[in-house]
Amino acid sequence: RHWLDSAWKKVFVPLLPEHAPQLLDLAVRQLRDANRLAGALQPGFDAVSFRRSAIEPHPQDDSRNVGDVLIDAARDSLEYLLRVSPEEAVAAIERLAQAEEPILRRLAVHAWRLRQDRTPDEKLQWILGERLLYNLDLQHEVFILLKDTVPLAADETVEALLDQAQNGQQDGAGDSSYAPYNLAAWLQMVAPEN
């Protein structure tokens, strides 16, 4: 697996300036195929997203497989496009946000967090509008976005966030009281003054 990481970093990353959109499309297609195949082997279980604790580099993801290289390729391509071609990146993010595959939606949330064309308030409003607070498939990326934006957001936006959090889980997230508690504890930790 090391050779795949090495190939991505040494061969493909230098190609991002000329081919980022194509590399992103290729990685997304391959992730979709991997998700479909994994779903056929284990219906109802999302092995591709489950194996990956975070879209950003994370110590828990040190045990790598082929899917990790594809996720890195999609992430690096998106991040490159956000820096040099924001309009193209935004179009890709919108497509990813509507994807069925959780790993692709996680990439969209990760990219939303890094967008320079949106304020912290707009990022939080997007999370609220998409009703992602209790989406367990996207939890890590949503919580990291909250960590980065809640301390900088306007009081009214934070109030709207807290209102939606207090209203509980949406979209079939279950009836467990753990999810609201976990969200409240995370918000208290990352933005105690709000």
Side-chain angles (χ1 to χ4, degrees):
R1 310 281 187 248
H2 171 71
W3 67 271
L4 281 173
D5 283 329
S6 181
W8 171 248
K9 291 173 185 161
K10 292 179 181 174
V11 176
F12 291 102
V13 168
L15 296 175
L16 285 174
E18 296 87 26
H19 301 289
Q22 295 86 357
L23 289 169
L24 175 60
D25 288 343
L26 177 64
V28 167
R29 280 195 316 269
Q30 294 301 311
L31 285 167
R32 279 198 162 109
D33 287 346
N35 191 276
R36 188 177 59 252
L37 289 171
L41 293 172
Q42 292 180 293
F45 177 68
D46 178 19
V48 175
S49 195
F50 180 78
R51 279 201 88 261
R52 184 71 175 231
S53 63
I55 296 299
E56 76 275 6
H58 194 282
Q60 289 181 345
D61 293 326
D62 284 346
S63 174
R64 306 198 23 98
N65 71 14
V66 175
D68 291 309
V69 177
L70 293 171
I71 295 165
D72 291 351
R75 179 200 63 219
D76 293 350
S77 299
L78 262 178
E79 289 178 2
Y80 180 82
L81 289 172
L82 280 168
R83 289 191 301 275
V84 301
S85 183
E87 306 82 23
E88 200 165 2
V90 168
I93 293 165
E94 288 174 3
R95 287 189 304 274
L96 292 171
Q98 300 307 312
E100 290 179 25
E101 301 84 0
I103 195 66
L104 300 180
R105 292 194 321 270
R106 290 176 65 190
L107 282 159
V109 176
H110 171 80
W112 254 95
R113 179 177 64 88
L114 300 176
R115 288 180 69 173
Q116 297 297 308
D117 65 329
R118 293 293 182 250
T119 66
D121 291 277
E122 291 169 322
K123 292 174 184 183
L124 289 175
Q125 289 163 355
W126 179 74
I127 291 290
L128 296 174
E130 296 294 316
R131 303 188 67 76
L132 301 179
L133 281 181
Y134 291 111
N135 187 318
L136 294 179
D137 290 334
L138 315 180
Q139 181 173 321
H140 175 81
E141 284 69 34
V142 169
F143 277 29
I144 296 300
L145 187 148
L146 294 175
K147 179 182 81 144
D148 289 355
T149 56
V150 168
L152 304 171
D155 290 341
E156 305 83 53
T157 307
V158 174
E159 274 189 46
L161 171 75
L162 294 174
D163 286 345
Q164 194 174 100
Q166 191 173 24
N167 288 333
Q169 303 174 63
Q170 313 96 12
D171 301 331
D175 295 327
S176 168
S177 60
Y178 176 73
Y181 168 79
N182 192 34
L183 177 60
W186 179 256
L187 290 172
Q188 178 61 35
M189 184 175 75
V190 300
E193 63 282 349
N194 292 70

